[in-house]
Amino acid sequence: MTNSAGGAPHAEGQDPAGVADVTFAFSASGPTEKAARRATMRAANHLLARQHAEGWWKGPFRTDVSYDAHDLFLRYLLGVLDEGLATASGRWIRCQQGADGSWPLVFEGAGHLGTTIQAYVALRLAGDSPHEEHMLRCAAWVREQGGVAASQLTARVWLAMFGWWDWNDLPVVPPEIIVLPKWAPLNIYSFSAIMRVALVSLSIISAHRPVRPAPFSIDELFPTSDASVRRPTPATTSGWEKGFQHLNSAVRACCKSIPRPVRKTAMNACARWLLKRQERDGSWGACTPMTTWVILALHLHGCPSDHPVLKAAWGFLEDCVTWPENGMRALQTVHSPVWDTCLSSTALLDAGLATDHPALVKAADWLLTRQTDRPGDWAVRRPWLAPGGWSFQFHNQNYPDTDDTSEVILALRRVSSPSQKRIDEAVSRAARWCLGMQSRNGGWGAFDADNTSILPGKVPFFDFREFCADPPTADVTAHVVEMLAALGMERDPRTRRAVLWLLDQQEANGAWYGRWGVNHIYGTGCVVPALIAAGVPCGHVAVRRAVTWLTSTQNADGGWGEGWQSYADPTCTGHGPSTPSQTAWALLALLAAGEHDSATVRSGVHWLTEQQTDHGTWEEPHFTGTLVPEAVAVHYDYYRHVFPLMALSRYVLRKGH
């Protein structure tokens, strides 16, 4: 059982839309193609059976356990932590611990210090003793890594609220940042959409400097045990970082002299900004981490616990709860129905499902209800642009993105529906919105246009470096180009500019970097089909270099894989255990490049057919999605369903694109 958008449980497949009725116009060329046809039919039927009665598809969206820890931290700080809830969350956090005592960001990954510290504290709140074996292993590992002083900023912010870290040793986020004009180098809109809400919330939190001491210490997480509140160990810093550290010290000194009425006015402005952006489901950004920060900020600002705004926010957090196993409580970071639905629709269409199949018509009708119809934060840079994009989640009017919008258009335009006029109008609005979101360099970012400043990544507010902004990326730009080509706009000057930008982004090894998926296999799997769709010939040197790279990185078993560590270590690029989604991405690129009959493709297809389960899908415990490279990885449950189906379908139907 999983939770629906309204919080009521539903069973997947409660309203199966029938079975896939697909015919092939030609005989299979051999055993590999025969096996691929069988796998395609089984996968299509499996996916059809998972559609919700309302027309959408959605799988669990998992990140690391730090957000489960944040949920417990918030409840403790606000005095509402329930023992049963803490126990259930503790079971989930505990079962994700690695053998060395740490918690990783990804499946079978290396331990992450900040996540491990937060998991440890969460388990202490859940009642675990520091003398239990798993806690002793964790504490020893943390000390070996340098202890709390070496951890990431987010962990130390939470620890400061428990009294275990000195607020004076954290960056100052002055609430007065809210009044900086939009042309100022470090106004809130110079940060990416996924950082912005957290930044405004943190400005209120850091102004209040809340402390609610826990009924235990965590001295065991420090290499020494001389003081209950530690100070950070000096680290080697760049010139930029040193400059901002000096600036931060100056800002802290100035904040002490800010008149109380001025500070109150700024905090009120921050609170109004946040309140204006609450979504229908009670969330901020339809995201649990953002919503957690805002709940704490509004509480500190004086919002009563029974206020409708906070009650709705708590309701959203409850709606994101899943129960992976009996007695285990896990918190999803977001719901992903728009993304899962448009990709599922495309996969079924690729499989040859009739364009007027009831499942596809129902999915299209549901997607039409999710199109944004009012300006969001993106309008700061594009005030003249009419809305029309799609976001990732059930309810998110403020932050539609060009990636979801492009994939929704690619799905909708292929569906034959009684609502055809509505589809055509929606696609037209969305395409205009996407075109209006093109950045000056020809590419597209996810949530904003021309969000390219390097300054947000230099300030000490976050640990995300250049990912504090939202510049154009190859994967997102490729999806927009593919969408524009599908609409017959491959010769449009804006499309041509984007194609040239993509060609310029190819790396020396022939691959493209993947910002929102792991990593170069994802980027290359996005870009090559887009280039071919936009009229770049299969023989183009960039396409051939990509084919050579993909061929060289194929694993001996026939599949492809790339580990999360490739974001930090270039030697890991294109290397990792084979996974269904990454194998599919490589095949989608190779098929688009005209490699249908190559031994490389046959081996990849064979691997997928051999890995298919009796249920018609694939198992994939690895995290192949990305929210913030090197910091927040994602496990999309539906990637294992949809991308192998796309690849096998295009193989058996002999469609490069």
Side-chain angles (χ1 to χ4, degrees):
M1 299 288 283
T2 59
N3 283 345
S4 71
H10 68 268
E12 286 184 332
Q14 63 179 273
D15 184 28
V19 297
D21 182 15
V22 179
T23 58
F24 301 98
F26 41 82
S27 301
S29 61
T32 298
E33 195 164 317
K34 287 181 181 178
R37 287 185 176 188
R38 291 193 298 270
T40 297
M41 296 298 295
R42 295 170 67 201
N45 286 328
H46 175 269
L47 195 54
L48 279 172
R50 296 176 69 95
Q51 187 178 30
H52 188 270
E54 294 177 4
W56 44 266
W57 283 269
K58 183 183 77 69
F61 182 101
R62 282 183 51 205
T63 56
D64 61 84
V65 300
S66 59
Y67 300 132
D68 298 274
H70 294 180
D71 183 54
L72 296 191
F73 298 166
L74 175 69
R75 293 170 187 272
Y76 173 79
L77 291 166
L78 270 56
V80 295
L81 181 58
D82 174 82
E83 182 179 349
L85 181 150
T87 299
S89 294
R91 290 193 185 105
W92 169 250
I93 293 171
R94 198 178 304 113
C95 81
Q96 300 299 305
Q97 187 178 22
D100 63 359
S102 71
W103 275 263
L105 295 178
V106 298
F107 176 75
E108 294 185 341
H112 184 265
L113 184 58
T115 298
T116 299
I117 290 170
Q118 292 171 92
Y120 182 92
V121 173
L123 289 182
R124 291 298 310 275
L125 290 173
D128 288 21
S129 167
H131 304 298
E132 294 181 60
E133 191 273 337
H134 67 287
M135 300 293 276
L136 290 170
R137 280 189 292 119
C138 176
W141 185 90
V142 170
R143 291 193 300 272
E144 290 170 2
Q145 305 302 312
V148 169
S151 67
Q152 289 72 25
L153 180 61
T154 300
R156 286 182 280 123
V157 169
W158 284 109
L159 296 187
M161 297 187 221
F162 290 97
W164 296 320
W165 195 259
D166 193 331
W167 277 103
N168 289 322
D169 291 322
L170 292 172
V172 176
V173 187
E176 289 76 17
I177 194 173
I178 196 74
V179 301
L180 290 178
K182 298 176 179 65
W183 49 262
L186 272 176
N187 72 87
I188 60 170
Y189 298 102
S190 60
F191 291 82
S192 72
I194 59 175
M195 306 294 176
R196 200 172 296 143
V197 172
L199 177 71
V200 176
S201 301
L202 281 170
S203 73
I204 295 176
I205 294 168
S206 65
H208 283 279
R209 295 186 166 201
V211 176
R212 186 180 187 217
F216 52 84
S217 72
I218 56 167
D219 284 353
E220 62 273 20
L221 300 187
F222 294 91
T224 58
S225 57
D226 52 348
S228 59
V229 177
R230 316 295 171 178
R231 294 186 177 275
T233 302
T236 302
T237 55
S238 69
W240 272 104
E241 290 167 332
K242 287 180 179 177
F244 275 109
Q245 285 176 0
H246 291 311
L247 177 61
N248 191 62
S249 298
V251 170
R252 179 181 289 110
C254 290
C255 284
K256 294 178 180 178
S257 61
I258 292 176
R260 189 180 299 272
V262 173
R263 173 53 56 93
K264 183 177 180 180
T265 298
M267 292 173 68
N268 286 339
C270 288
R272 286 195 301 273
W273 189 93
L274 291 170
L275 291 171
K276 185 178 179 182
R277 283 158 178 77
Q278 187 175 33
E279 298 290 344
R280 278 180 51 200
D281 60 2
S283 74
W284 280 265
C287 177
T288 55
M290 289 185 191
T291 303
T292 297
W293 288 117
V294 178
I295 289 174
L296 181 57
L298 293 180
H299 170 82
L300 292 170
H301 194 63
C303 190
S305 59
D306 60 350
H307 192 285
V309 166
L310 291 186
K311 289 174 69 175
W314 283 112
F316 169 77
L317 293 183
E318 288 303 318
D319 191 48
C320 289
V321 171
T322 61
W323 299 87
E325 295 181 29
N326 187 36
M328 287 187 181
R329 178 183 182 273
L331 196 65
Q332 291 189 82
T333 310
V334 297
H335 294 301
S336 55
V338 171
W339 189 243
D340 290 347
T341 299
C342 64
L343 292 178
S344 295
S345 298
T346 294
L348 290 169
L349 286 159
D350 283 350
L353 201 67
T355 59
D356 62 351
H357 190 283
L360 296 175
V361 172
K362 187 178 289 188
D365 286 343
W366 182 82
L367 285 169
L368 290 175
T369 69
R370 301 296 122 175
Q371 189 171 27
T372 59
D373 57 10
R374 62 177 175 80
D377 278 4
W378 54 267
V380 168
R381 286 186 171 82
R382 293 293 186 269
W384 46 266
L385 185 61
W390 273 271
S391 60
F392 189 74
Q393 307 94 339
F394 283 110
H395 303 288
N396 188 355
Q397 284 279 331
N398 284 295
Y399 300 107
D401 65 273
T402 58
D403 212 15
D404 276 274
T405 301
S406 298
E407 290 296 329
V408 170
I409 292 173
L410 283 167
L412 285 180
R413 58 171 288 276
R414 297 170 65 184
V415 176
S416 300
S417 168
S419 307
Q420 198 61 50
K421 183 178 179 181
R422 287 180 60 209
I423 288 178
D424 293 343
E425 291 173 348
V427 166
S428 179
R429 288 195 303 274
R432 283 197 299 271
W433 182 77
C434 267
L435 285 168
M437 294 292 289
Q438 188 174 30
S439 292
R440 285 189 291 269
N441 64 10
W444 276 268
F447 298 95
D448 285 307
D450 294 313
N451 190 331
T452 57
S453 173
I454 64 171
L455 294 181
K458 304 296 183 181
V459 297
F461 298 161
F462 299 104
D463 294 313
F464 300 149
R465 302 190 312 279
E466 67 268 28
F467 305 109
C468 286
D470 183 20
T473 62
D475 44 3
V476 173
T477 300
H479 287 156
V480 180
V481 166
E482 187 176 5
M483 175 270 291
L484 293 173
L487 295 179
M489 298 181 65
E490 63 272 17
R491 296 186 180 277
D492 187 283
R494 294 163 291 189
T495 307
R496 303 321 301 166
R497 285 179 59 223
V499 168
L500 291 174
W501 185 84
L502 283 173
L503 292 172
D504 188 56
Q505 296 300 303
Q506 189 174 30
E507 299 192 0
N509 59 11
W512 279 268
Y513 178 87
R515 163 63 179 85
W516 297 96
V518 184
N519 172 349
H520 294 81
I521 294 176
Y522 179 71
T524 307
C526 294
V527 173
V528 173
L531 293 177
I532 300 301
V536 175
C538 291
H540 191 282
V541 62
V543 176
R544 300 329 302 167
R545 289 174 61 214
V547 168
T548 298
W549 180 77
L550 286 169
T551 302
S552 72
T553 56
Q554 187 175 31
N555 289 329
D557 61 11
W560 279 265
E562 184 171 0
W564 172 253
Q565 62 270 29
S566 67
Y567 281 113
D569 184 357
T571 65
C572 297
T573 297
H575 300 298
S578 297
T579 69
S581 62
Q582 290 169 319
T583 298
W585 296 336
L587 288 173
L588 290 171
L590 292 169
L591 290 168
E595 297 294 305
H596 179 278
D597 297 324
S598 70
T600 301
V601 167
R602 283 197 300 273
S603 294
V605 168
H606 178 74
W607 186 87
L608 281 180
T609 59
E610 288 294 303
Q611 295 297 314
Q612 191 178 37
T613 69
D614 292 340
H615 297 292
T617 188
W618 290 262
E619 294 300 326
E620 184 172 276
H622 295 85
F623 286 49
T624 61
T626 307
L627 280 185
V628 182
E630 301 182 52
V632 187
V634 178
H635 181 271
Y636 289 90
D637 186 61
Y638 262 61
Y639 277 15
R640 65 190 173 103
H641 304 313
V642 297
F643 287 114
L645 177 55
M646 286 183 194
L648 291 175
S649 299
R650 295 183 192 186
Y651 176 76
V652 299
L653 295 177
R654 302 181 186 180
K655 294 181 179 180
H657 174 69

